[in-house]
Every structure is written in structure tokens, then in C-alpha cells.
Amino acid sequence: MSKKQISQGGVTATEELLYSLCQATFLRLWSYANPFKDDGKEFCDLIAVFENHVFIFFDRESRRFDGASKNVLVTWQRWKKEAVDKQIKTANGAERYLRSGRAIFLDQRGEKPLPIPIPENPTIHKVVVAHGAKEACEAFSDDNVYGSLGISYGSGDEGSSFPFLVSLKSSEKIHLLDAHNLEIILGELDTFFDLSRFFAEKERAIDQYQSLTYCGEEDLLAHYLLNYREADRSYRIGTTDKTVHGLHIGEGEWFDFSNSEAYKRRAEANKTSYLWDDLIQRTCDNFLAGISGGNSDIFAGKSAIKEMAREPRFSRRALCENIFERIEQFPSQLKEGSVARHMSVMPSFYPDTKYIFLQLQPDYSIDYETEYREARRHMLTVACGAAKNKFPHLKKVIGIAIDAPKHARSNSEDFILLECETWSDEERVFYEEENELLGFFESPNLQHQVRQTLDFPLAESQKKRIKIGRNDPCPCGSGKKFKKCCLRYQGPN
């Protein structure tokens, strides 16, 4: 199989696996396989660009351990040189190329530039994926659970001759994955937010400790996900104790964690969240196929889809739970001649952003595309502007409109991004006037629901009802007291 036969896919079986995993994590619009430098040479096996983060992947399989040599140390050193050391050298060269500002292309002739601009001063994550040592690693020690490579960050000399332990220089910041944990890392951290947070925290820990060692990347991930700090609302690696200069994470952390009830509850709860991914991916596919309408520039980042892709996994879960509930609440039976709609305001992970989810009973008596959808877009635009007027602290409002599934023959989606960090009196008055007929936020039936979403859901026996006092800060993020903000709009439960 030649590279010319492949469009946006890997060359080898392991590269195909890498690309399929990255498509789920980074989505098709922001990840590209086998890009080229301006001299026609391959830049990396896969590049993904999102906001200020650039991920460059290098995939290599070595079959050195398939031979009959009984000298494990010799074979290990040869395998490591081929599958790891050469790829690290290539990754470091790729970083230098990227920081020099030279162009990246999708084709060897340099006729198709990478459609996503590389940001200035990007945060670059170099990822080397090494295949071919898993079975030999498992056979080498009875204590090895999965056959993952041990990793040590420091001077680069620690245990350099010990089989299946890779010593890396702290200064190089290489993320080394293998045949086993590649799927775990990209499967568990399958959003831009979650993966970049993990890599950034790992890079911070590499700088903090003189020595950071662990028995497999999956064990480091387990340590990370079990080490949540409420003070800064993030997962961390290591300890806050500044007198600690080294960190070792033992074998089996992932095995124990992935078999825990907390992990299973989280995995089950996250199933709902993939509706969000489907919405993003379907819209991206339409954009790439040239069949999406509107004036948003997805590549430049000025789009509702880009904002939706910024959400972490647990936030997507909360948003999708809300969407499914609202779809279920839409009236099944309507009076003849009546028109129904349902508008929900949903919080983002980011406190200066909210979502509007609008369902509308489709009107099939008029032309769907030119009349009905145009009216639906107008309603969605007004709802977004009315939300900004209602919550002045917002900088962005993302609107999502669909036909109410209970009454739709098929469906379509409209997305709107309202950037409203600056909001003039003219804009405020315009949306007030446009909203006079539609009456968003004016209905006496408005309900306010306070929901707590945890990355790791509690067991039923652990759940407690959340109580918010009238004088407590409003959970909408406005900065006002609850009684002077959303409580005024709280209808019957």
C-alpha cells in the first residue's frame, strides 16, 4: 500500500489504529495523518491542532523481539534504538521545524497547505508510540500486569540499560506510549480538553520532580484521576509538599482503578455524552464535504462547533443529559393549529459561556429550507441575544436548534455563536425589541434547575440533595444572589 492510496489515514496497521483513535479524540476537522514539510519529507505520522495546542505523533513498530536471540538486554537495546530513540530524535526535529514557522502540507508536492493555522508560540506535545515489545515485556517479569513500558524522567541515564524501562530526559518532554496504553490514554482522555490537561499536568510534574518514574502510562493516568484537588478544581500528579523531590508510581494502579465501582459508574454515565460528539462530527463532515451553510469559519475557530469541541467529557455528559430530558418533556399531543417550542439555557464548563437549546415544532405547510429553517434561525438568534441581556456577564452564547424529535419526520440542526464580550446599548435594545414578540425569558412557566455533575458520579447511597439558600451566589455565575437572579424565574417543579 502506498501513501498515495491513503487519504487521511495511516500507512501501517499501527498508524491506522493511531489515526482512528485520534479521530475520536480530536475529530476529523482538527487532525491530519502523514503531513509533509516544505522539502517534501514527512513531518510526522499525525498532527492535531486545537487552540494553542499542537499534538504531533510518531508511530513506530519494531519486530526485533520476534527473533530467536536469547540475550534480552541486547535485543532490548536494539529495539529501543529503533522504536524509541530514533523517533524521539525525529520528534525533537519536528518541534524545531514547527517553531521556525515553516509551512506544513497535506501532500508531498506542497500544493495543499494544512488548513488549520499553527498558532504563535504554540504548546507542543510530542507523542511517540512504540510497538513490538508488549509480549516480551510480559514474559520478562511475572509482576508486569499488561506489558507496558516503564518510564523514568530525569537526566536520561537512570536505568538506561535495564530492559523495558525507558529513561527520558526531563528537558525533552516526550510522551511515550506503547501498544497497550495507546488505546487507554486516547480512549479515556477523548476530548481536547482532557488530553491537553493531562499532558500539561504531566509536563509540570516532570519539571517539579528530579525523578518521575512509573510502570506504565496507564498507571500514571490512574494516579492522575485519583488525585483531584478541590482547591484548584483539577486533577494533579504528585503532592503539594515542596520537600518531595521524587515520585514513583507502582505497578497495578490502573488495574485496580479500572476495576473499581467508581470507574464503572463514570464509564456508564459517559455513554450519554457521545451525542455531543456526534453533533460535532456530523457538522464537521458536512463542512468538509461543502454542504453546510452559514458564514462561520470553523478552521479559524470562529464557530459554535469549535466552542462545543472545547467542552470536557463530564461537561458534555451534563449537557446531553439536559438535552435528552428536554426532548422528553416536549409535549406529545398538541392542539390543532397550535405551535410549540421549548427553550433551555444550559451552562458550559466555562463560566462566561452558556448554551441555548431550542426545540421547535416543525411547520411542514411551508418550504422547509427557505422559510421554516430561516424562521427557526431567527428565533435561535433572538434567544441567544435575549440570554445575553438576561445574563450580562456572558462573553459567548452558543445556540443549538432542532426540530422537536417527537414531531419531526427527519431532523436538522442550526448552530449560532454569539460573541458578546462587548455589548452596546444598541445591541441590547435591538434584542429587547426583537424578543418582544417571541418572549424568551418572559414565560411564567420558566423553571430553574440546579444540577451537580461530578466527573465520577456518586453511588445512590452517597447522593445528597443540593440546597441553595436565597442569599447564596446564584449558580448561573452572574455574581448576584440567588434571590435576585434566577430564583425570580423559578417556576413549579
Side-chain angles (χ1 to χ4, degrees):
M1 181 184 293
S2 69
K3 292 182 182 179
K4 292 182 180 180
Q5 293 175 298
I6 295 171
S7 175
Q8 292 306 305
V11 176
T12 67
T14 60
E15 288 174 355
E16 290 284 7
L17 172 62
L18 171 64
Y19 183 67
S20 65
L21 290 169
C22 285
Q23 270 200 326
T25 304
F26 301 119
L27 304 175
R28 194 168 298 126
L29 194 65
W30 295 287
S31 60
Y32 296 85
N34 310 117
F36 293 88
K37 297 185 290 184
D38 54 18
D39 59 5
K41 296 180 180 179
E42 190 173 278
F43 174 72
C44 65
D45 290 305
L46 185 138
I47 185 171
V49 183
F50 193 84
E51 296 189 318
N52 196 51
H53 293 271
V54 180
F55 302 79
I56 47 178
F57 288 81
F58 302 85
D59 184 280
R60 176 59 61 90
E61 181 178 38
S62 171
R63 305 311 306 178
R64 289 281 182 179
F65 284 103
D66 291 353
S69 175
K70 295 182 179 180
N71 192 326
V72 174
L73 178 57
V74 171
T75 307
W76 160 252
Q77 290 174 336
R78 291 172 178 170
W79 180 90
K80 178 175 172 291
K81 180 179 180 180
E82 198 171 88
V84 178
D85 297 343
K86 288 183 179 179
Q87 298 306 297
I88 290 177
K89 183 178 180 180
T90 303
N92 291 333
E95 180 180 19
R96 290 191 297 272
Y97 180 93
L98 202 61
R99 294 195 185 281
S100 72
R102 292 166 65 183
I104 298 175
F105 298 91
L106 300 183
D107 65 318
Q108 195 168 12
R109 292 183 177 181
E111 297 173 349
K112 300 177 182 179
L114 186 74
I116 306 176
I118 301 296
E120 294 185 14
N121 300 316
T123 298
I124 298 175
H125 306 287
K126 297 172 290 185
V127 187
V128 170
V129 186
H131 303 270
K134 182 178 185 297
E135 290 77 12
C137 186
E138 287 177 312
F140 182 74
S141 172
D142 292 337
D143 294 329
N144 195 299
V145 178
Y146 293 118
S148 298
L149 297 173
I151 308 293
S152 174
Y153 289 95
S155 65
D157 299 324
E158 303 89 347
S160 58
S161 62
F162 191 81
F164 309 107
L165 172 64
V166 181
S167 297
L168 301 171
K169 294 180 181 179
S170 296
S171 59
E172 289 181 337
K173 302 295 190 304
I174 294 290
H175 301 277
L176 179 59
L177 307 181
D178 56 44
H180 174 72
N181 54 44
L182 170 65
E183 294 188 62
I184 293 175
I185 301 302
L186 293 184
E188 296 295 328
L189 305 171
D190 58 353
T191 72
F192 280 105
F193 178 95
D194 294 308
L195 186 61
S196 61
R197 273 287 182 97
F198 173 66
F199 279 170
E201 173 58 15
K202 178 182 169 184
E203 290 162 10
R204 184 205 63 79
I206 291 171
D207 284 334
Q208 176 180 342
Y209 296 107
Q210 295 176 8
S211 175
L212 171 63
T213 62
Y214 47 90
C215 297
E217 194 77 13
E218 69 275 20
D219 290 325
L220 181 67
L221 176 61
H223 167 85
Y224 170 81
L225 292 174
L226 289 169
N227 194 16
Y228 183 79
R229 296 184 193 169
E230 189 65 43
D232 49 17
R233 299 177 63 192
S234 64
Y235 294 107
R236 302 300 295 271
I237 293 172
T239 175
T240 57
D241 187 347
K242 300 299 183 182
T243 65
V244 176
H245 301 297
L247 177 65
H248 173 72
I249 298 166
E251 180 80 24
E253 291 284 332
W254 176 257
F255 178 84
D256 293 338
F257 171 67
S258 61
N259 284 287
S260 68
E261 291 303 317
Y263 173 84
K264 294 174 183 177
R265 287 196 300 270
R266 179 177 182 260
E268 182 62 30
N270 279 345
K271 291 179 180 178
T272 302
S273 71
Y274 289 95
L275 167 67
W276 199 256
D277 300 54
D278 291 342
L279 283 172
I280 298 171
Q281 188 66 76
R282 186 163 61 247
T283 306
C284 287
D285 289 346
N286 291 340
F287 178 82
L288 291 170
I291 58 175
S292 62
N295 61 354
S296 64
D297 188 346
I298 298 181
F299 284 131
K302 302 292 185 180
S303 73
I305 296 302
K306 181 69 174 291
E307 295 300 320
M308 292 171 65
R310 295 177 68 218
E311 299 288 344
R313 175 60 56 199
F314 85 90
S315 178
R316 298 183 190 198
R317 182 207 309 162
L319 287 161
C320 290
E321 287 174 351
N322 192 307
I323 288 174
F324 282 122
E325 286 181 8
R326 300 303 171 256
I327 288 175
E328 183 60 31
Q329 289 174 357
F330 200 91
S332 299
Q333 301 296 326
L334 298 173
K335 294 181 180 179
E336 187 174 351
S338 65
V339 176
R341 74 180 191 200
H342 192 290
M343 188 269 290
S344 298
V345 182
M346 307 185 300
S348 165
F349 173 79
Y350 305 94
D352 60 1
T353 302
K354 285 191 184 295
Y355 290 90
I356 295 294
F357 177 57
L358 177 65
Q359 295 179 82
L360 191 65
Q361 175 194 356
D363 185 353
Y364 295 114
S365 66
I366 59 178
D367 184 81
Y368 185 85
E369 289 295 333
T370 61
E371 296 181 87
Y372 165 73
R373 283 195 71 176
E374 186 61 34
R376 191 177 74 181
R377 291 188 194 102
H378 174 71
M379 291 180 66
L380 182 61
T381 302
V382 173
C384 291
K388 169 62 179 179
N389 284 341
K390 171 67 178 66
F391 306 108
H393 71 286
L394 295 179
K395 296 180 180 178
K396 295 176 183 177
V397 182
I398 297 104
I400 305 171
I402 65 170
D403 299 336
K406 287 185 177 180
H407 302 278
R409 299 171 185 170
S410 59
N411 222 309
S412 62
E413 303 89 24
D414 285 310
F415 302 93
I416 288 176
L417 169 62
L418 177 65
E419 295 188 289
C420 50
E421 183 172 1
T422 59
W423 197 243
S424 66
D425 288 339
E426 290 78 9
E427 288 171 307
R428 177 182 57 79
V429 171
F430 172 79
Y431 282 105
E432 284 177 353
E433 293 176 347
E434 289 293 304
N435 193 40
E436 285 181 359
L437 179 62
L438 296 174
F440 291 116
F441 298 100
E442 303 296 331
S443 171
N445 297 320
L446 280 172
Q447 297 184 20
H448 182 83
Q449 182 183 57
V450 179
R451 181 199 299 267
Q452 182 187 44
T453 300
L454 300 175
D455 194 5
F456 287 86
L458 299 175
E460 290 298 325
S461 60
Q462 297 173 302
K463 292 180 180 178
K464 297 179 181 179
R465 182 175 179 81
I466 303 170
K467 296 182 179 180
I468 296 181
R470 294 170 57 84
N471 293 314
D472 290 338
C474 186
C476 76
S478 66
K480 299 179 181 179
K481 292 182 179 180
F482 185 41
K483 67 180 180 181
K484 292 186 177 181
C485 192
C486 292
L487 182 61
R488 296 181 300 160
Y489 299 91
Q490 189 171 9
N493 293 317

